[in-house]
Amino acid sequence: MKKQLLALLFLVIGISNLLAQAASVQWDCVYDENPTTTVGNVVGQPIVGSNFVIRDYTGGTSTGPLSVSQQRWWPGKDAAGVGIKWGPEIKPLDDRYIQIEVAPKAGNNFNISKVEMYMAAGGTDAMRANVAFATDPSFIPFTSIADTIKLKQGKTKPEDTLIVYTGNVEIKSGGKFLVRIFPWYTGGNSNSKYVYLQKVSVTGTTSPGTSVEESSLPVEFNLNQNYPNPFNPATKISFSLPKEGFTKLAVYDLLGNQITTLVKQKLSAGTHSVNFDATNLPSGVYLYALSSGSYSSTKKMMLIK
């Protein structure tokens, strides 16, 4: 009887191990661009930049956590081959970032528990960075990991800034996990300031799972009532798209004058949400309108101050 119980116990343990396998995707950003990396049932894409490019891999004196040179990023060069100047800046730019992307293989879920990255500033102590993650390629909505951190001037390992996020983010089969680093430079206008990136890792567990397409995609368009409503000064607007398409979400006054555009881009199928901040608007009734493909819908919301 004891042998049977032990055998059953080992079987349960074995099944549990198969159902939840540890996975850690790591980029050692050292000498060349990273090819697509597969670790178990998780695939990590090459690190890419938007309006931000890799200058080189061995420049500068940063050594970082791996005791070797690291990627050196900057806004790029102009047509004459001269570095593009940047700064002084008071906030990050939405379209300038470094992106890391991870996705589980088909038929698997990836439960992410930790994100780590080593960053440093090159040639300045006036470099800042915001870091956030999202599970939609549109990066709407997103969750902040680090808000306006000051990057240390990196020359040795202790001076590199380690950014860590711990939590529980489930990425279903067919889904993606994206991390974006938004660097910005508060110093004087210069073409010789950089961001160093050396090591990034995304850690969690994988398990067999249902795909996003099978489990959570909406079957019809829907524009939800904002919440809270009435509100002061901010509220959230959510909507569902059954298919990918160019989407616009805008806010109007009762005369039809457009107040602001909240979304104006191609979005994937799924449920999306965006925050609307009316701090600078007077109390009153406002309209918000969604259009995507042939679908359009308008609802009212009330701001009470």
Side-chain angles (χ1 to χ4, degrees):
M1 185 66 178
K2 288 184 178 180
K3 290 183 178 180
Q4 291 175 330
L5 289 174
L6 285 173
L8 180 59
L9 177 61
F10 287 137
L11 177 62
V12 171
I13 293 173
I15 293 175
S16 298
N17 289 336
L18 287 174
L19 293 178
Q21 298 180 344
S24 179
V25 180
Q26 178 173 306
W27 294 262
D28 295 334
C29 315
V30 184
Y31 296 118
D32 52 18
E33 295 192 38
N34 304 281
T36 300
T37 303
T38 301
V39 179
N41 290 319
V42 181
V43 179
Q45 298 297 328
I47 295 176
V48 297
S50 171
N51 296 313
F52 218 57
V53 299
I54 298 174
R55 174 177 173 171
D56 54 36
Y57 296 86
T58 58
T61 56
S62 272
T63 55
L66 300 181
S67 299
V68 289
S69 296
Q70 48 199 330
Q71 287 180 347
R72 183 160 63 162
W73 291 77
W74 66 341
K77 296 181 180 180
D78 60 20
V82 179
I84 296 174
K85 292 184 177 181
W86 57 325
E89 297 171 335
I90 60 173
K91 64 179 182 179
L93 304 180
D94 291 341
D95 62 349
R96 188 181 67 205
Y97 54 81
I98 304 167
Q99 178 170 291
I100 296 96
E101 179 183 324
V102 177
K105 285 185 177 180
N108 291 273
N109 293 345
F110 185 27
N111 289 284
I112 296 167
S113 57
K114 181 183 287 187
V115 179
E116 294 180 291
M117 61 189 70
Y118 285 89
M119 299 172 60
T124 179
D125 61 359
M127 192 69 67
R128 307 290 185 268
N130 289 34
V131 184
F133 74 81
T135 57
D136 189 287
S138 69
F139 224 72
I140 300 174
F142 65 84
T143 299
S144 176
I145 293 177
D147 187 23
T148 312
I149 59 169
K150 180 179 180 179
L151 297 183
K152 297 179 181 178
Q153 187 169 339
K155 292 184 178 180
T156 60
K157 178 178 178 180
E159 293 179 347
D160 279 76
T161 301
L162 171 61
I163 300 171
V164 180
Y165 168 80
T166 56
N168 184 19
V169 183
E170 182 184 31
I171 308 300
K172 291 184 178 294
S173 175
K176 296 180 179 180
F177 180 75
L178 305 105
V179 178
R180 287 183 182 175
I181 303 165
F182 298 89
W184 47 294
Y185 173 54
T186 65
N189 198 239
S190 173
N191 61 358
S192 61
K193 308 305 178 188
Y194 315 95
V195 173
Y196 289 107
L197 181 65
Q198 185 175 101
K199 178 181 177 182
V200 181
S201 63
V202 179
T203 303
T205 57
T206 59
S207 60
T210 306
S211 70
V212 172
E213 289 77 8
E214 295 173 344
S215 64
S216 61
L217 286 184
V219 296
E220 61 183 6
F221 289 98
N222 188 42
L223 175 62
N224 298 317
Q225 186 64 51
N226 64 298
Y227 181 83
N229 187 48
F231 67 97
N232 178 31
T235 188
K236 179 179 288 187
I237 301 171
S238 61
F239 55 92
S240 300
L241 306 176
K243 59 183 179 180
E244 182 181 72
F246 186 84
T247 303
K248 179 180 179 181
L249 177 65
V251 177
Y252 302 85
D253 63 22
L254 290 179
L255 297 177
N257 300 309
Q258 183 170 311
I259 303 298
T260 186
T261 300
L262 300 176
V263 176
K264 190 177 182 181
Q265 64 187 93
K266 188 175 183 180
L267 294 181
S268 61
T271 300
H272 306 266
S273 63
V274 61
N275 291 324
F276 171 54
D277 190 333
T279 299
N280 298 322
L281 294 176
S283 297
V285 176
Y286 293 88
L287 306 174
Y288 59 99
L290 175 72
S291 61
S292 183
S294 60
Y295 174 82
S296 63
S297 180
T298 302
K299 290 185 180 293
K300 293 181 179 180
M301 57 183 171
M302 181 175 291
L303 171 63
I304 299 178
K305 293 187 174 180

